[in-house]
Amino acid sequence: MSLVRDAVARRNAQFDEMIEARLCSNDSELAAIEVVSEDGDQRDDDLRLVREALDGGASPNALGAVFVAVVTNFTYEVDWKDHFCFWPKMHEHLRSRTMNLHDPASRRAVERAFRSFSDEHRGVRPMGELLQHFPLMSWPLIHGVMPWCAQRHVARVLDCAAAEGLIPDDPAAPWPKGKIEALAVSMRVPVFVMGIIQNPTVLERLGRVLLGDAPRAEAPSWIRRLHRSVNRDALTRSLVAEAKESQRERASSRLARSPALPVSLLLQADGSKVDEVRMWASLGPYGRTVGSSPEVLSFARAGAALIARVDGADAGRVPLFNALAAPALTEVTWKADSLRLQPSARAYEGSEIPEVLKRAELDAERVFEPPLIFRREDDRRYALVIGRVCVGEKIAVLAVRASAIAYGVEAIGFAPKSVRGAPHLVALFGEASDAVESELGAAHISVEAPKPTLVPTLIPALRRDGERLICRAERDIWLRLCNGPVGGALSAEVVHNGQAQPAEIGDDDAGNILVHVPAGALGVGVHGIRILADGRPRAIASVEVIVEPTTQAAGLTRWRATLQPTEASIEHLRENQCWLEAESIPGVLVEVELKCGARVSSTTLEANDRGPLTTARRLRELATEVFASEDEVPEQVEIRARATDEPEGWLTIATLGASDAPLRFDLSGGTPALVAPDDVPSLLRLELGPDGLLYQPASPESLREPGLYLAKVGASRAALCVCDALRRVPRPPKVVRFMRSVERALELLATLRAVDVAALWPEMSRGSGIFVRRASARVIEREFVGSLCGRAWVEMEDAIERADLDTLARPMAGLLWVDEAWLRERIEDIEDPLDLLRDLLERIGERSDAFEARHLTLSFYQRGMITRGQDEAAVRWAWASVRRARVARACYLVDPNALAGAANGDDRE
């Protein structure tokens, strides 16, 4: 055993040298991953040394840095999948006979080792939700900086942050505080990933490493290892590449003018007149840098338009949103000898046009002069051609009626059609051939022999970006080879990030050559699809395909919808605790769909039906229709949305599964059991009495006895209601003493969250349990209201419990210190309590858009409707002034059944 102790001491001396050198060269906080060996054999030796030392009776704390390095390497490299598997997987990894990581005492020993390491070497420390919910697991997680399980999530956040301009151009510059964290919350990343995002030291370090240049040979070993890990995963690699591209685009646009807005022309056959065509201006798209700018998105959602100015006069307009992600079309007329076309962004009503849009318009003006050549894109539409056409392609020649080219092309057999709005022009339709080569030369167009090309088939592309096809992620790609060679062996391959893999190629029933690339072979980003003949390395046909993530597609459409709360599960949907944040430009309606297995139900959100309470009612109606019964426990529910004028535009905005709460009661056995992935939970019995809610210690054996129980680990809470069959609804005693403090209010709110959805046992008494759970929640809520609003307010609620709104106005006005007549007028025709909330906040001199006020008001309806991480901010906001808390409660009281009434005027419960 002394040999093992000596080996540990020698290895720790080496770690001390590395740590000292690192702290001397860099004054930032140390993460243990920085001193983990890059050599895999050395890491294996460290693992064997730690295992032998533990088996010999050494404690993790006594082993010091070598133990911390071994556990950190496990955290970083092993795919432990989720927080419930973390400790069991580590137990299998260490394989120590004396240290059982299924035992919480051993887990706490690991935490103490990391805490000592950070205290001694100025190490990083966990914070935020990660520390609150996983007080033990959070230490090795944060020292791993970016574990394998977190790579894709962190890369996705960095990609979105770069696209929205939240990351500074200079990697050494300070990163904006709070903005990337808010973005991550909206993206519903796991809690352990939020721990990385919420730690500014770790996030900035990761961002600078991943978005910077490739590491040199002298770079720290953990940086080189991180880059290798990222490059091994195709999706992570693609997301990081997209983030870098966004950074480069934004930097170049600030150093110079933004790229000019693409402007072109289209001809389209008029369905009502077969001898007439219409001319359209094609404006956009702006591109990712401009189109994903938060300032531009906000400006576009406010109803801004993109104007097509023809010869200096406004000639047509389209919603600006239409041009952010795809070309927008507006009809134009052509009266002069040439057509001067300039795009121009315009505000809906007087707002300032973002500078990035102004810069994009500077070099966007195009001047068109006949003759012009157009190539057929589909049965009705022809797009402007530059450079060349191929023999056999359907084309249109736009020329002056009396010109030589018009006479020459018509003589060859081209069919003339008049152009709407351009009486001096004629469009002649025919097929490109050697016979028209001299005429097309006047338009600087060459006629070439047809080359093999790949065109989309079966599933159309979303749109085109020049010669590139834009396709959506999670869809197969089917391409048809046109003008391919006759005979010979053909093969296909798809190339992504320099790596090629085979693609399927074969014939359909009609003899067409098809290429199939399954969705599983596609990552996010640019792909090259190539056709090879007879084993030659040079491709006979190729096309570039850009696969867009669905989140990007959702961000650049004319509407946006997100599900709240961000950590929602199927249980939230079943308990009517979900609502939607939906917005769109004027005139665009959003349709929402719930899908559970083969059952689907949808509803359309009108412009005035997008408040939290209204959308919560709509979601409840949809859930009622797609759940087969109240007892059904589906594995997954998909929530999708689209604009009603985009039938194929469905986007998944949330996929709900069973709750992955870090603490829960397991009722599958004969008696209730507690399941906690991290530390040992404390078990309490909730006693409701006149002095308020009391927390009494309880043992697991007492769970057989009727009562209300609460389990706690850090900030995590879970409740259980054990109930016998009841003959009458219990009436718990009302609180007569209110303990007023921020800490007490927060504890009551956390308890309420758990009691609202408390597990019920036994199953045979489920009905009685629901009654007990509701009655208990009402008593606890009454104390919570008293702790924020005061005794006088609670006594007012008790006195007017069954009063109508007319009776309610007078006492509420007195306690809110507002004019009674004014308040009565506001609540007489109440439609949405949140509208009243804004009016009341303005009346008492507070910000009408304070998120804390909405958070607190929604918590009175359903605690689960709002994100738990914002509870403290809301409670502290209310604590600063009793009028604030009373305003939020008043808005609930004027319509406490706002969630009970169904939408569309249906009064059923």
Side-chain angles (χ1 to χ4, degrees):
M1 186 59 199
S2 61
L3 294 177
V4 175
R5 284 198 299 268
D6 292 343
V8 169
R10 287 194 299 272
R11 185 63 180 137
N12 276 332
Q14 295 173 353
F15 275 112
D16 289 341
E17 291 180 6
M18 289 188 288
I19 292 171
E20 184 178 358
R22 154 61 177 81
L23 294 177
C24 290
S25 62
N26 190 332
D27 61 356
S28 61
E29 292 179 329
L30 173 72
I33 191 64
E34 298 181 65
V35 294
V36 173
S37 175
E38 188 179 14
D39 182 5
D41 292 337
Q42 179 63 64
R43 296 198 298 267
D44 291 340
D45 290 343
D46 289 343
L47 174 60
R48 284 191 292 269
L49 181 61
V50 166
R51 186 180 298 140
E52 291 176 7
L54 290 174
D55 289 345
S59 70
N61 207 19
L63 290 178
V66 64
F67 177 82
V68 169
V70 167
V71 173
T72 300
N73 182 65
F74 159 81
T75 303
Y76 177 86
E77 195 163 71
V78 176
D79 185 5
W80 34 269
K81 299 186 184 303
D82 61 51
H83 49 258
F84 285 101
C85 298
F86 181 82
W87 293 111
K89 284 275 189 180
M90 188 189 295
H91 179 77
E92 295 175 9
H93 181 75
L94 290 179
R95 298 200 309 277
S96 170
R97 294 190 299 271
T98 61
M99 186 175 187
N100 181 11
L101 288 174
H102 295 281
D103 179 10
S106 296
R107 300 176 185 180
R108 283 193 289 273
V110 173
E111 180 258 353
R112 285 194 297 271
F114 275 87
R115 190 183 292 273
S116 297
F117 179 88
S118 290
D119 290 342
E120 184 177 354
H121 303 300
R122 204 169 70 246
V124 295
R125 295 174 177 274
M127 59 181 59
E129 293 185 36
L130 177 63
L131 178 62
Q132 292 175 7
H133 294 287
F134 302 101
L136 306 183
M137 191 189 308
S138 59
W139 284 89
L141 284 178
I142 203 64
H143 275 276
V145 178
M146 193 163 101
W148 175 262
C149 296
Q151 286 187 6
R152 290 186 176 184
H153 297 289
V154 173
R156 188 162 57 95
V157 172
L158 289 175
D159 179 34
C160 291
E164 296 193 11
L166 302 180
I167 299 176
D169 294 339
D170 181 5
W175 285 36
K177 296 186 182 299
K179 293 185 178 180
I180 299 180
E181 292 90 325
L183 176 66
V185 168
S186 70
M187 298 170 67
R188 301 181 66 230
V189 300
V191 172
F192 72 89
V193 179
M194 278 303 300
I196 298 172
I197 302 298
Q198 290 176 332
N199 191 310
T201 301
V202 175
L203 179 64
E204 289 188 27
R205 189 179 305 175
L206 270 180
R208 291 166 183 166
V209 168
L210 293 178
L211 302 182
D213 297 330
R216 299 179 178 179
E218 63 271 17
S221 61
W222 78 277
I223 292 180
R224 297 195 300 271
R225 187 179 177 193
L226 177 60
H227 274 271
R228 287 197 300 270
S229 297
V230 167
N231 289 331
R232 282 203 306 267
D233 183 71
L235 179 58
T236 304
R237 184 174 64 243
S238 175
L239 290 170
V240 170
E242 294 247 352
K244 289 182 178 179
E245 182 181 353
S246 295
Q247 285 291 92
R248 285 194 296 269
E249 287 184 10
R250 288 189 174 275
S252 61
S253 68
R254 278 186 269 266
L255 295 174
R257 287 197 296 264
S258 297
L261 182 64
V263 175
S264 188
L265 293 177
L266 293 174
L267 290 180
Q268 183 170 312
D270 194 321
S272 60
K273 287 189 175 183
V274 295
D275 59 344
E276 184 180 57
V277 295
R278 305 165 73 181
M279 186 181 304
W280 296 82
S282 171
L283 309 176
Y286 278 92
R288 185 177 181 185
T289 301
V290 177
S292 62
S293 163
E295 185 183 16
V296 172
L297 289 171
S298 177
F299 179 73
R301 288 194 196 98
L306 183 61
I307 307 294
R309 292 181 56 79
V310 174
D311 298 328
D314 293 356
R317 66 172 54 211
V318 292
L320 180 65
F321 240 119
N322 290 11
L324 293 184
L329 304 180
T330 180
E331 189 174 4
V332 297
T333 59
W334 187 337
K335 299 292 181 65
D337 294 337
S338 62
L339 180 70
R340 184 162 51 92
L341 189 57
Q342 168 71 53
S344 177
R346 300 282 178 82
Y348 178 65
E349 49 179 27
S351 58
E352 184 68 22
I353 300 174
E355 285 297 323
V356 66
L357 292 180
K358 294 179 181 178
R359 291 197 301 269
E361 296 168 7
L362 289 179
D363 296 327
E365 183 182 72
R366 289 284 306 276
V367 178
F368 301 96
E369 296 181 351
L372 299 172
I373 311 302
F374 297 77
R375 179 192 292 119
R376 188 170 78 170
E377 287 197 331
D378 53 39
D379 292 339
R380 298 179 58 197
R381 185 174 294 179
Y382 287 71
L384 186 64
V385 174
I386 298 176
R388 65 180 181 85
V389 295
C390 292
V391 173
E393 286 185 324
K394 301 294 184 182
I395 63 171
V397 179
L398 184 68
V400 177
R401 282 189 176 275
S403 64
I405 186 174
Y407 285 124
V409 171
E410 186 174 0
I412 296 172
F414 276 59
K417 293 185 180 181
S418 60
V419 181
R420 178 173 165 176
H424 63 300
L425 299 178
V426 63
L428 301 110
F429 293 81
E431 187 174 291
S433 65
D434 295 337
V436 294
E437 183 173 7
S438 58
E439 280 77 9
L440 299 188
H444 307 289
I445 300 293
S446 62
V447 180
E448 301 178 358
K451 295 181 179 180
T453 57
L454 287 168
V455 298
T457 186
L458 298 182
I459 301 176
L462 286 177
R463 60 185 186 276
R464 285 182 177 269
D465 180 7
E467 296 300 320
R468 289 176 165 182
L469 301 175
I470 312 296
C471 296
R472 184 172 295 161
E474 301 175 2
R475 283 189 178 181
D476 293 8
I477 293 179
W478 292 85
L479 302 172
R480 185 176 76 251
L481 178 63
C482 300
N483 304 315
V486 178
L490 298 179
S491 62
E493 65 180 19
V494 55
V495 182
H496 183 48
N497 290 324
Q499 297 182 353
Q501 56 180 313
E504 301 175 34
I505 186 169
D507 299 343
D508 65 4
D509 295 339
N512 297 311
I513 299 175
L514 300 182
V515 178
H516 175 218
V517 184
L522 298 167
V524 175
V526 180
H527 302 70
I529 301 176
R530 306 173 357 126
I531 301 292
L532 308 173
D534 300 322
R536 291 191 293 270
R538 185 179 179 86
I540 64 170
S542 64
V543 66
E544 283 194 342
V545 177
I546 300 177
V547 177
E548 287 189 346
T550 53
T551 52
Q552 178 181 343
L556 297 181
T557 52
R558 299 171 295 152
W559 55 272
R560 177 172 290 181
T562 56
L563 185 72
Q564 298 293 336
T566 53
E567 70 272 12
S569 63
I570 291 178
E571 287 83 353
H572 284 84
L573 184 63
R574 185 186 298 279
E575 296 294 332
N576 196 27
Q577 295 178 350
C578 293
W579 56 282
L580 291 167
E581 280 187 347
E583 56 181 341
S584 65
I585 64 176
V588 174
L589 300 181
V590 178
E591 183 179 3
V592 179
E593 175 186 87
L594 257 65
K595 184 177 181 182
C596 180
R599 300 184 296 276
V600 178
S601 183
S602 65
T603 185
T604 300
L605 301 177
E606 302 289 342
N608 57 347
D609 289 339
R610 297 180 183 175
L613 302 176
T614 304
T615 57
R617 292 197 301 267
R618 294 291 183 88
L619 286 174
R620 185 194 63 180
E621 290 179 344
L622 298 181
T624 302
E625 295 174 8
V626 299
F627 287 154
S629 67
E630 291 186 2
D631 298 328
E632 182 189 14
V633 184
E635 294 184 358
Q636 181 174 292
V637 175
E638 185 179 12
I639 302 178
R640 304 196 303 170
R642 69 176 179 183
T644 54
D645 59 356
E646 297 175 352
E648 303 300 324
W650 285 112
L651 289 172
T652 299
I653 61 174
T655 301
L656 305 184
S659 173
D660 61 348
L663 179 66
R664 70 173 189 268
F665 283 94
D666 182 6
L667 307 181
S668 59
T671 58
L674 268 172
V675 178
D678 205 12
D679 202 357
V680 175
S682 58
L683 183 62
L684 305 168
R685 184 186 181 102
L686 302 182
E687 301 287 351
L688 304 174
D691 290 333
L693 177 65
L694 298 178
Y695 298 87
Q696 301 291 348
S699 64
E701 293 75 20
S702 64
L703 293 179
R704 292 176 174 272
E705 304 172 4
L708 192 62
Y709 297 90
L710 183 74
K712 298 170 58 176
V713 172
S716 300
R717 302 286 187 276
L720 172 69
C721 182
V722 180
C723 187
D724 292 333
L726 301 174
R727 294 185 178 180
R728 62 183 180 85
V729 179
R731 292 186 177 274
K734 291 183 178 181
V735 181
V736 295
R737 296 176 58 190
F738 298 100
M739 185 187 303
R740 299 197 68 235
S741 71
V742 172
E743 292 72 19
R744 177 66 173 179
L746 282 172
E747 187 60 44
L748 289 171
L749 183 52
T751 302
L752 266 174
R753 282 182 176 276
V755 171
D756 280 339
V757 290
L760 304 173
W761 190 83
E763 184 64 29
M764 65 183 68
S765 301
R766 183 178 181 85
S768 301
I770 292 175
F771 283 122
V772 172
R773 183 172 67 181
R774 289 177 178 172
S776 302
R778 282 196 295 269
V779 173
I780 301 172
E781 181 182 348
R782 181 177 181 274
E783 183 180 354
F784 174 62
V785 172
S787 69
L788 291 180
C789 302
R791 176 187 300 275
W793 185 273
V794 173
E795 291 175 349
M796 180 269 293
E797 288 193 24
D798 292 341
I800 60 172
E801 188 171 353
R802 288 173 291 277
D804 55 23
L805 284 180
D806 187 61
T807 309
L808 185 66
R810 174 171 294 179
M812 278 204 323
L815 291 173
L816 290 172
W817 305 311
V818 298
D819 181 67
E820 180 185 343
W822 178 88
L823 181 61
R824 191 181 302 278
E825 180 183 349
R826 291 299 185 279
I827 66 177
E828 277 181 353
D829 300 319
I830 186 71
E831 293 184 1
D832 187 340
L834 296 181
D835 291 337
L836 175 63
L837 176 64
R838 287 187 287 269
D839 292 341
L840 278 171
L841 288 173
E842 288 182 354
R843 189 72 173 184
I844 67 173
E846 300 285 349
R847 280 182 46 212
S848 61
D849 60 344
F851 84 89
E852 298 93 343
R854 186 180 71 173
H855 183 100
L856 191 58
T857 302
L858 292 179
S859 74
F860 290 131
Y861 285 101
Q862 287 274 23
R863 261 65 63 178
M865 291 184 72
I866 31 85
T867 302
R868 177 170 37 197
Q870 298 174 340
D871 284 349
E872 183 172 356
V875 168
R876 291 191 180 278
W877 173 86
W879 186 257
S881 167
V882 72
R883 294 178 77 191
R884 291 178 173 181
R886 291 177 176 180
V887 161
R889 183 65 178 178
C891 294
Y892 163 78
L893 290 179
V894 298
D895 193 2
N897 299 314
L899 286 178
N904 300 324
D906 192 352
D907 295 330
R908 58 195 167 99
E909 288 292 321

